[in-house]
Amino acid sequence: MSNSTHSERTMYSLLMHLFGFLLLLEWVRPLNQITDTANLYVFVVFVGVAFTISYLQLVPIIKVTIQAGFLLYFLHSLYFMESFLSKAWLEAFWSHMKYNFNIMLVNDWSAMSNLFRTLLLFILLWLISYLLIYWILHRKKMFLFVVMTISYVAILDTFTIYDGSMAIVRLMFVGMLIVGFVYMERLREKEGLFKDKKIWIAWGTPLVVFVLVSTAFGYLSPKAEPVWPDPVPFLTSVGEGIGNGTGDVKKIGYGEDDSRLGGPFIGDPTVVFKAEVERRHYWRVESKDIYTGKGWDNTDDAINRVDDGDISAFPWFADEVSTDNLTAKLSMELKYPHINYPIGVTNVEALDEDVEVRYEFNEATQKIVTRNSSNNNEVLLDSYMVEYEYPTFYIERLKAVQSGTGSESDEDFYNRYTQLPSSLPNRVKNLAEEITGSFQSRYDQVVAVERYFARNDFEYETTNVAVPRGNEDYVDQFLFETQMGYCDNFSTSMVVLLRSVGIPARWVKGYSEGEFVTLNADGTRVYEVANNNAHSWVEVYFPEVGWVTFEPTSGFNNPYRFTYESISGEGENGNGEDQIPERAEENVDGRDRSESELPEEKADRNNTTGIDFALDITVSWKAVGLIVGAFALTFLLLWTTRKKWSPHLYILLYKNRKDDKVFSLAYAKLLKHMQANGFTREQGQTLREYAKQVDHYFKSSEMQTLTDRFERVIYRGNSSKEEWEKSIELWENLIKKRSS
């Protein structure tokens, strides 16, 4: 048992809590670069609260109450429009929980809502904070965790865009200090050096000086250039030529010829463009509507000339669809004579001052080509801006479209987007009917097809990808033979399956959102879109709604919002709170696949971005004041009455325990309780002497009897369980006596 004084424990505890917080902070800090998380201060504050209430050594129930209160308030700030803890708020929160519990019961982890993923992250940070404090203060072993943290930062620095140079410097400084002080504390306990209060200064000062000097020396000294080249391109190049597919190995990136799909490819990190955006979305280049059995071709259609960049004459959605008007700016690194744009584009504006440009919009492919206004030659733009409508899709309206209905008023349109080759094997059509047969609405059928791949263990693969030979059908081979491939396999198969049951759909190609780079002061976010982000997906037509994006490929997320209008809060405005339905089969968040989640902004609370913070949280200081005041009042009440209720808590915790450690723990708690209630144990006083002092006051021998049994366990090795069973009543009487 430690004999260090209260002031020494407080100083050591303060230092260890501070160092532990700084150490855990290095795990959180990279999230804004390696993920789409932007509001890191929410997590930092939450972790800071955990370390603060641990240092204050509050009663466990108060600790849990305070931490849970902060957790719920942060979730409220991020996801809810209702008043905090109001009836509507509780109902919405419970709806989220029921939905996600059902998701877990069916093991459909990818369908978890963003709010629930955020809740799990908060709980994880809470547990790590507790374990870190336990390792520091009780186990006094921190070297392994420091090494793990340094390794974590080094790996991120090597394989991601995160620059861990200064993080390594901070970690070496904090890590060596925390390991040094923990070792010092172990040595003090082992040698019994607790009486001399100057030992902290005598040992701590040279430790701090040594760590500071060595860290500064390491930081300022010249460094040699890396001996090894960047391992990422090396590891990427290893994949070149690998794979059992029969096609040639290709480099990933945009290409116009999609007539023969399949075969392996290798990655290419070359940046195509940088984009400043207000919200995550995919970047379209074109769509194709004719499936040949081997790949895609497109219908020849009239090309519309747009001199001023106004594309609004070609609507993407029905007027009833709720949309937000947004803009995005693109700066091209690799230049192509076409525009990259989000679905819903209404206007394009070239930012090159010395270029006269006009635009050609192909109604069949939706490809926007840039040409010189004077000579009609193709133009390669350096930068341009696009205006677009970002949609919110209400599930009630999507479900209102029953199976078997389409755009029958336009037969040519319907035939174009349900086209299939006569050579398509019947088993593909039979599979489509099997997947969708039990659903009545078009939306449910589309979601069933979209989720079919994940539920049947189709694998995302880029090297071991086959190419259909002879009369083999590309989709049939993927669905029934290989069941592995990349986005082209997944998206093409979904389109074909939908068309097989009469649902208009088209194959779309372009780029995913890219890699997050930074958050600008005006709230826009910068992404780098590389050849590695080349992607294909699916758009499905819903009458009275328009074209709706779906994402079947494992590892990718649908960036568009799906919500229930009846509980969205704002109806047509699309700015209300997107709630989660109770039905476990629905993935309102746009069917997340891989990322881990948060919203971009208040109006985008159920964005499918995984942990994707890009919002400015408006904090209600009145609400914060009320919460803090309520916690303070509760704490004050519990603190002032602790002598009354703490004995009952001790009895509840220890009375029914039967393990080998309970006697030692219960006896130590009794000593603490006695000293807190006036029975001070003098320096150097033995347990027997202290027991006599207590019994003299109570005019009994209970404390001496209990102490005698405790010493038999400690010094004679008697059975702790047996001695505790004989002593429970004595211990309980002594606890109750002093609190009465």
Side-chain angles (χ1 to χ4, degrees):
M1 183 181 300
S2 173
N3 297 316
S4 57
T5 65
H6 175 72
S7 61
E8 289 172 332
R9 288 198 308 271
T10 301
M11 177 59 68
Y12 175 73
S13 178
L14 176 61
L15 285 174
M16 294 302 102
H17 278 83
L18 177 61
F19 290 152
F21 171 74
L22 294 176
L23 203 61
L24 187 55
L25 191 61
E26 297 300 338
W27 288 79
V28 177
R29 193 188 298 270
L31 293 180
N32 66 335
Q33 295 188 41
I34 63 174
T35 71
D36 288 334
T37 305
N39 287 335
L40 291 185
Y41 70 89
V42 175
F43 299 108
V44 173
V45 170
F46 184 78
V47 172
V49 170
F51 278 91
T52 301
I53 61 178
S54 171
Y55 170 71
L56 295 176
Q57 297 183 349
L58 304 179
V59 176
I61 190 173
I62 298 179
K63 291 182 181 179
V64 173
T65 302
I66 295 175
Q67 196 74 37
F70 273 94
L71 187 155
L72 292 175
Y73 185 74
F74 285 147
L75 289 177
H76 161 74
S77 300
L78 298 170
Y79 286 96
F80 294 96
M81 297 296 292
E82 298 86 355
S83 299
F84 185 46
L85 298 182
S86 65
K87 181 180 178 181
W89 186 94
L90 292 173
E91 290 176 350
F93 182 78
W94 179 240
S95 176
H96 277 278
M97 295 302 104
K98 287 196 295 184
Y99 164 74
N100 287 282
F101 289 146
N102 288 331
I103 286 296
M104 290 191 293
L105 289 176
V106 298
N107 296 324
D108 193 2
W109 308 106
S110 63
M112 282 185 179
S113 71
N114 290 342
L115 181 144
F116 196 70
R117 294 171 188 264
T118 310
L119 173 64
L120 294 180
L121 179 59
F122 276 127
I123 293 175
L124 177 63
L125 290 174
W126 191 352
L127 292 175
I128 294 176
S129 302
Y130 170 79
L131 291 174
L132 192 57
I133 294 166
Y134 175 76
W135 286 339
I136 297 174
L137 295 182
H138 300 283
R139 296 297 301 275
K140 296 182 175 60
K141 294 180 179 180
M142 277 303 299
F143 180 74
L144 179 60
F145 191 81
V146 172
V147 171
M148 289 171 57
T149 306
I150 294 174
S151 301
Y152 164 77
V153 172
I155 291 172
L156 292 185
D157 180 78
T158 303
F159 295 100
T160 72
I161 63 172
Y162 178 65
D163 183 1
S165 303
M166 290 306 301
I168 294 293
V169 175
R170 293 191 298 266
L171 280 173
M172 291 306 299
F173 179 73
V174 174
M176 286 192 289
L177 281 180
I178 198 170
V179 171
F181 278 111
V182 166
Y183 179 76
M184 183 190 303
E185 186 68 11
R186 289 207 310 268
L187 189 60
R188 291 176 66 238
E189 289 188 352
K190 181 179 179 180
E191 301 296 334
L193 304 173
F194 298 100
K195 295 182 181 180
D196 187 1
K197 297 181 181 180
K198 296 181 179 179
I199 196 169
W200 274 102
I201 299 176
W203 287 9
T205 301
L207 173 64
V208 173
V209 172
F210 173 78
V211 171
L212 185 61
V213 171
S214 59
T215 304
F217 181 79
Y219 175 71
L220 297 174
S221 61
K223 284 96 176 160
E225 291 298 322
V227 177
W228 291 350
D230 186 352
V232 176
F234 170 76
L235 293 175
T236 303
S237 66
V238 170
E240 187 168 0
I242 292 178
N244 297 324
T246 57
D248 295 331
V249 178
K250 300 168 290 187
K251 268 193 174 183
I252 189 173
Y254 172 76
E256 294 185 349
D257 185 4
D258 302 298
S259 59
R260 291 191 63 84
L261 299 179
F265 70 80
I266 61 172
D268 180 7
T270 304
V271 175
V272 180
F273 60 90
K274 292 183 179 179
E276 296 181 20
V277 300
E278 299 177 61
R279 202 167 294 173
R280 293 175 73 243
H281 48 67
Y282 284 167
W283 298 96
R284 290 176 109 264
V285 175
E286 61 182 328
S287 72
K288 296 192 175 180
D289 56 3
I290 299 177
Y291 176 64
T292 65
K294 302 294 184 182
W296 288 96
D297 200 350
N298 55 273
T299 301
D300 292 331
D301 208 338
I303 295 177
N304 298 275
R305 176 173 172 173
V306 183
D307 291 324
D308 58 357
D310 185 2
I311 316 293
S312 59
F314 311 98
W316 302 87
F317 316 113
D319 294 338
E320 294 79 7
V321 174
S322 177
T323 59
D324 297 327
N325 294 320
L326 304 175
T327 60
K329 178 182 176 182
L330 288 79
S331 301
M332 304 305 298
E333 301 289 335
L334 293 181
K335 299 174 185 178
Y336 295 98
H338 62 249
I339 298 296
N340 305 286
Y341 61 91
I343 190 173
V345 63
T346 58
N347 191 71
V348 182
E349 178 184 354
L351 300 180
D352 300 23
E353 297 181 357
D354 56 343
V355 176
E356 296 181 0
V357 61
R358 67 177 176 83
Y359 308 91
E360 292 180 348
F361 182 80
N362 188 315
E363 288 192 66
T365 65
Q366 303 85 53
K367 189 172 185 177
I368 305 174
V369 176
T370 53
R371 294 189 180 277
N372 189 292
S373 299
S374 302
N375 55 29
N376 203 39
N377 291 334
E378 292 181 341
V379 173
L380 307 179
L381 297 179
D382 291 324
S383 60
Y384 53 89
M385 183 175 294
V386 293
E387 299 176 5
Y388 61 101
E389 297 177 336
Y390 184 93
T392 294
F393 298 115
Y394 291 124
I395 294 177
E396 293 97 330
R397 301 183 188 182
L398 298 176
K399 282 177 174 284
V401 180
Q402 298 301 306
S403 62
T405 64
S407 184
E408 285 80 2
S409 60
D410 188 341
E411 185 176 352
D412 290 339
F413 174 91
Y414 184 77
N415 291 336
R416 169 185 292 181
Y417 291 112
T418 56
Q419 171 274 335
L420 289 172
S422 58
S423 60
L424 183 71
N426 287 330
R427 62 177 179 175
V428 175
K429 299 178 181 179
N430 294 336
L431 176 61
E433 293 173 357
E434 178 184 336
I435 295 172
T436 62
S438 60
F439 299 98
Q440 298 300 315
S441 75
R442 174 173 297 181
Y443 174 77
D444 288 334
Q445 292 178 329
V446 174
V447 171
V449 174
E450 181 192 41
R451 300 174 73 176
Y452 171 78
F453 306 100
R455 290 183 169 182
N456 290 275
D457 300 323
F458 282 70
E459 297 181 21
Y460 186 88
E461 175 65 49
T462 60
T463 55
N464 189 19
V465 182
V467 176
R469 295 297 187 186
N471 294 326
E472 278 186 307
D473 183 89
Y474 176 70
V475 168
D476 180 82
Q477 182 190 60
F478 175 65
L479 290 175
F480 298 101
E481 305 297 336
T482 64
Q483 295 189 338
M484 61 174 59
Y486 40 88
C487 57
D488 291 347
N489 298 87
F490 287 89
S491 55
T492 301
S493 297
M494 181 175 177
V495 171
V496 170
L497 288 170
L498 292 176
R499 290 184 174 187
S500 296
V501 291
I503 298 176
R506 65 191 182 194
W507 185 73
V508 188
K509 59 185 295 187
Y511 301 90
S512 63
E513 68 274 14
E515 300 296 325
F516 175 74
V517 177
T518 187
L519 182 69
N520 292 331
D522 61 359
T524 59
R525 300 163 62 181
V526 178
Y527 285 87
E528 280 188 347
V529 180
N531 278 327
N532 278 336
N533 301 116
H535 188 49
S536 61
W537 59 95
V538 178
E539 289 176 358
V540 182
Y541 185 76
F542 287 79
E544 299 182 6
V545 176
W547 290 102
V548 181
T549 300
F550 289 89
E551 177 54 87
T553 305
S554 299
F556 289 82
N557 304 311
N558 190 333
Y560 296 98
R561 295 181 294 177
F562 292 74
T563 184
Y564 277 86
E565 184 176 15
S566 59
I567 54 176
S568 65
E570 296 291 340
E572 295 294 331
N573 295 331
N575 293 327
E577 173 58 19
D578 299 345
Q579 301 297 333
I580 305 298
E582 296 182 12
R583 181 181 173 215
E585 293 299 315
E586 293 292 353
N587 185 350
V588 176
D589 286 352
R591 297 151 299 279
D592 290 352
R593 293 295 181 207
S594 68
E595 294 181 345
S596 14
E597 73 115 78
L598 292 176
E600 276 193 75
E601 53 183 284
K602 284 269 189 179
D604 190 21
R605 299 184 186 280
N606 282 333
N607 195 327
T608 63
T609 59
I611 298 179
D612 184 11
F613 272 60
L615 67 160
D616 294 324
I617 299 176
T618 302
V619 178
S620 172
W621 294 111
K622 181 179 179 181
V624 173
L626 290 174
I627 295 171
V628 173
F631 280 129
L633 183 62
T634 303
F635 171 76
L636 182 62
L637 179 63
L638 292 173
W639 180 259
T640 54
T641 60
R642 66 188 185 282
K643 294 181 180 180
K644 296 293 183 183
W645 56 262
S646 59
H648 301 286
L649 178 62
Y650 298 152
I651 293 170
L652 179 65
L653 291 174
Y654 298 111
K655 183 176 180 179
N656 296 318
R657 284 182 58 174
K658 304 297 182 183
D659 54 90
D660 292 330
K661 296 181 179 180
V662 62
F663 200 172
S664 298
L665 295 173
Y667 189 84
K669 192 62 67 176
L670 175 62
L671 292 179
K672 181 178 179 181
H673 180 65
M674 288 290 183
Q675 294 189 69
N677 285 274
F679 286 103
T680 304
R681 184 182 173 195
E682 301 297 333
Q683 186 75 22
Q685 189 177 26
T686 65
L687 291 178
R688 291 188 179 185
E689 292 171 344
Y690 182 68
K692 288 181 181 180
Q693 174 188 340
V694 173
D695 284 339
H696 177 74
Y697 179 85
F698 288 120
K699 296 181 173 54
S700 70
S701 60
E702 291 178 334
M703 187 66 180
Q704 294 179 72
T705 303
L706 182 67
T707 301
D708 182 59
R709 292 174 180 173
F710 177 70
E711 289 183 337
R712 291 176 190 172
V713 173
I714 298 300
Y715 300 117
R716 296 186 185 180
N718 288 14
S719 172
S720 178
K721 290 182 180 179
E722 294 178 1
E723 295 293 345
W724 172 242
E725 289 178 359
K726 294 187 295 183
S727 306
I728 291 175
E729 186 175 351
L730 283 175
W731 177 82
E732 184 176 354
N733 289 339
L734 287 165
I735 286 278
K736 290 180 178 179
K737 276 184 180 180
R738 192 52 198 157
S739 59
S740 60

